[in-house]
């Protein structure tokens, strides 16, 4: 399993799609310290932007969906994914 290798899992706008119940279940069970979020720009815009050109500003919809799946506040997902990104890319905080 990817997590056993110490890898992170990145979730995109697909997690917001009505048909992505299994992916939302993955989002629910993956430890928050292993989650990253992305946009897949310019394709695969999240709900409610389906059919439009995707853009980085829409990543908040991915974070909201993860928060809902985990039953935690959006701010907690935002902070964790910020920390995960800084750790992965060795960015100064």
């Amino acid at each position: 399993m990817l997590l056993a290798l110490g890898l992170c899992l990145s979730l995109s706008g697909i997690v917001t799609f009505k048909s992505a119940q299994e992916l939302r279940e993955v989002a629910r069970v993956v430890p928050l310290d292993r989650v990253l979020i992305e946009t897949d720009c310019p394709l695969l815009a999240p709900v409610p932007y389906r059919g439009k050109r995707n853009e980085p500003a829409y990543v908040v919809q991915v974070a909201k969906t993860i928060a809902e799946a985990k039953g935690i506040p959006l701010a907690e997902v935002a902070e964790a994914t910020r920390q995960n990104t800084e750790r992965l890319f060795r960015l100064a905080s």
Side-chain angles (χ1 to χ4, degrees):
M1 182 168 191
L2 299 174
L3 297 176
L5 295 173
L7 300 175
C8 290
L9 178 71
S10 184
L11 298 167
S12 69
I14 295 171
V15 76
T16 70
F17 295 2
K18 183 178 180 180
S19 62
Q21 185 56 40
E22 288 180 4
L23 187 54
R24 284 188 294 282
E25 178 61 19
V26 169
R28 186 184 70 76
V29 300
V30 170
L32 197 52
D33 68 341
R34 298 295 192 80
V35 175
L36 300 168
I37 54 178
E38 61 180 289
T39 62
D40 282 331
C41 188
L43 305 173
L44 301 171
V47 173
Y49 304 104
R50 294 278 316 258
K52 297 181 180 179
R53 183 181 190 279
N54 202 353
E55 60 181 73
Y58 298 162
V59 77
V60 71
Q61 298 304 131
V62 177
K64 285 180 181 178
T65 300
I66 294 168
E68 289 170 8
K70 289 185 164 299
I72 61 175
L74 174 59
E76 192 172 337
V77 173
E79 178 61 17
T81 55
R82 181 193 61 78
Q83 290 177 7
N84 297 344
T85 300
E86 288 178 354
R87 185 177 65 249
L88 178 67
F89 292 106
R90 297 183 176 122
L91 302 173
S93 45

